Amino acid sequence: ERLYKTGDLAKWLPDGNIEFIGRIDHQVKIRGFRIELGEIESQLEKHDDINETIVTVREDGENRPYICAYMTSKRELTVEELREFLGHKLPDYMIPAYFVKLDKLPLTKNGKVDRKALPEPDRSAGAEREYEEPRNFVEKQILSILETVLGTERMGISCHFFERGGNSLKAMQAVHSINKAFGINMRISTFFQNPTVKSLAGFVFNGDAETAVMMEYAEEEI
């Protein structure tokens, strides 16, 4: 009979059942999307300043999986720079939620990357930035939405959404709420390019200035 190679690792039990063990490759399924982690690694390694990289899946406190990229690099690379770089090559759902810079990748005795030794990303990164209060009604609205989605407080208008624990799923929730609040049609890709309250407010003003100004006046009258 014809057989198909699926990439799944399993074993046939004596009672005739098949026990699924895992994947032979590094393909994972996150929020319904089949993702080949090796493809993300391949794209990251095309960056001129990245030496080595390994991409893996971890789980947050609510057991929801997210993608995390570990790398060694020639210089310090910002999250914004890495997201923009990958954004030209990969769909949004394949862009890692966290990027962790290491001096060197941990190896096993056999010289392979020791995935179990990879540190958990600092999910509070960026939280210590100087707090900046919202300056207008639009920034207040967006800040409230992002804090609700992230389940955090005192985020500040310059805090990076993804550095404060945001991921693709939470980004989609935020985009939906922002579009509903301002009556606009912002794309998820625009959100990825503007991951702070300050930059998102700039998009709202530029993309739908009339609505933003009307809401500004409404707040002043109140």
Side-chain angles (χ1 to χ4, degrees), residues 132-145 157 182 197-202 205 216:
E132 292 183 70
E133 293 185 354
R135 302 163 296 180
N136 52 60
F137 181 75
V138 174
E139 288 183 349
K140 288 179 183 177
Q141 283 285 90
I142 296 175
L143 179 61
S144 177
I145 289 171
I157 62 174
F182 295 102
V197 172
K198 187 181 292 186
S199 58
L200 286 168
F205 274 114
E216 194 86 39

Side-chain angles (χ1 to χ4, degrees), residues 178-198:
I178 291 172
N179 285 341
K180 184 177 180 180
F182 295 102
I184 59 177
N185 188 27
M186 178 174 63
R187 294 173 175 268
I188 185 68
S189 58
T190 300
F191 186 92
F192 273 89
Q193 294 165 4
N194 299 274
T196 68
V197 172
K198 187 181 292 186

Side-chain angles (χ1 to χ4, degrees), residues 44-54 69-79 81-82 99-105:
L44 278 172
E45 289 171 354
K46 291 179 181 179
H47 195 292
D48 293 337
D49 292 311
I50 291 180
N51 299 320
E52 299 176 288
T53 183
I54 189 77
Y70 298 85
M71 68 198 72
T72 62
S73 59
K74 299 173 185 176
R75 64 177 178 85
E76 201 69 35
L77 297 168
T78 65
V79 173
E81 183 178 354
L82 291 168
F99 296 87
V100 180
K101 184 180 182 299
L102 301 174
D103 293 330
K104 61 180 181 179
L105 297 179

Side-chain angles (χ1 to χ4, degrees), residues 118-185:
L118 292 169
E120 185 173 349
D122 181 6
R123 301 181 63 203
S124 64
E128 299 304 319
R129 292 179 180 174
E130 184 178 352
Y131 177 74
E132 292 183 70
E133 293 185 354
R135 302 163 296 180
N136 52 60
F137 181 75
V138 174
E139 288 183 349
K140 288 179 183 177
Q141 283 285 90
I142 296 175
L143 179 61
S144 177
I145 289 171
L146 298 193
E147 286 182 339
T148 299
V149 170
L150 293 173
T152 187
E153 296 180 356
R154 200 170 173 77
M155 183 172 163
I157 62 174
S158 292
C159 286
H160 195 290
F161 179 82
F162 296 100
E163 290 180 359
R164 293 298 297 272
N167 53 38
S168 298
L169 180 60
K170 291 181 179 180
M172 287 188 284
Q173 294 173 345
V175 168
H176 174 74
S177 295
I178 291 172
N179 285 341
K180 184 177 180 180
F182 295 102
I184 59 177
N185 188 27

